[in-house]
Amino acid sequence: MRPVRTAARAMLASIFVVDGIRHLMNPELKIDTARWVLDKVGPQLEKADPRIPTDPRTVVRAKAATDVVAGLALATGHFTRPAAALLAAGLVPTTAAGFAKEKQPADLLKNLGLIGGLLLAAADTQGRPSLRYRTTHAVDRSSRAVKRAARSAKRDAKIAAMSAAAARKMPG
């Protein structure tokens, strides 16, 4: 399954890397979309932290750089789950803004498909058990080991007590 996962991640990441490079070199392509999103969430961003940029050109370039880095991480198999989650989170406002402005269902469905693929990639544990499963089973194993050790200690104490009682009864 590994070659399939590797190829699928590379194919999924390619659109983000290519679009990210395109928007880094020419941010004007997405400035209108960024302005529309910033009109909606800009005041909340400024209230949350005034250092967060609200200039559309800066936001487009920051998202493009994030897409390139996260796309490369996803494609190369490094930090795949956080990279996929980051790409999915960045695609949500873009999808909402694009559909609200242009009302093109084909673009909406394409982006929803990409978000679905990214969510699958974010949830993929690559055949290994999840962290929750591993911790739950580690706790279960350790509690069984503690119970086993307690039973063994109780049995050893009983044997020692019987040996001491037998030794006291022995002459000399």
Side-chain angles (χ1 to χ4, degrees):
M1 188 69 150
R2 182 148 174 85
V4 173
R5 266 193 190 95
T6 302
R9 282 195 311 254
M11 287 186 266
L12 183 59
S14 65
I15 191 168
F16 295 98
V17 174
V18 171
D19 276 353
I21 291 171
R22 184 181 321 137
H23 295 134
L24 270 174
M25 294 189 321
N26 189 7
E28 283 76 26
L29 296 172
K30 286 289 185 177
I31 285 184
D32 290 337
T33 304
R35 187 172 288 121
W36 187 88
V37 171
L38 288 171
D39 288 344
K40 307 286 187 232
V41 298
Q44 289 91 349
L45 289 174
E46 287 179 355
K47 191 188 312 183
D49 190 351
R51 296 174 295 178
I52 296 175
T54 54
D55 170 47
R57 178 182 299 275
T58 306
V59 170
V60 168
R61 285 200 166 158
K63 183 187 180 312
T66 303
D67 284 355
V68 169
V69 170
L72 289 173
L74 180 64
T76 58
H78 295 91
F79 303 106
T80 56
R81 296 178 75 190
L86 184 64
L87 289 170
L91 196 54
V92 169
T94 304
T95 303
F99 185 70
K101 286 177 58 182
E102 299 165 15
K103 302 280 191 224
Q104 293 185 0
D107 286 342
L108 174 69
L109 292 175
K110 175 193 69 131
N111 285 353
L112 287 177
L114 285 172
I115 290 171
L118 289 168
L119 291 176
L120 281 173
D124 183 27
T125 59
Q126 300 179 20
R128 289 184 231 121
S130 68
L131 184 61
R132 178 179 177 208
Y133 177 88
R134 288 183 288 177
T135 54
T136 301
H137 280 62
V139 167
D140 288 344
R141 282 191 308 271
S142 62
S143 68
R144 283 194 307 266
V146 166
K147 287 178 184 176
R148 199 175 316 115
R151 280 194 310 267
S152 177
K154 186 176 178 181
R155 185 180 60 241
D156 290 347
K158 186 176 178 181
I159 291 170
M162 288 174 28
S163 295
R168 279 191 299 267
K169 290 182 182 178
M170 292 183 99

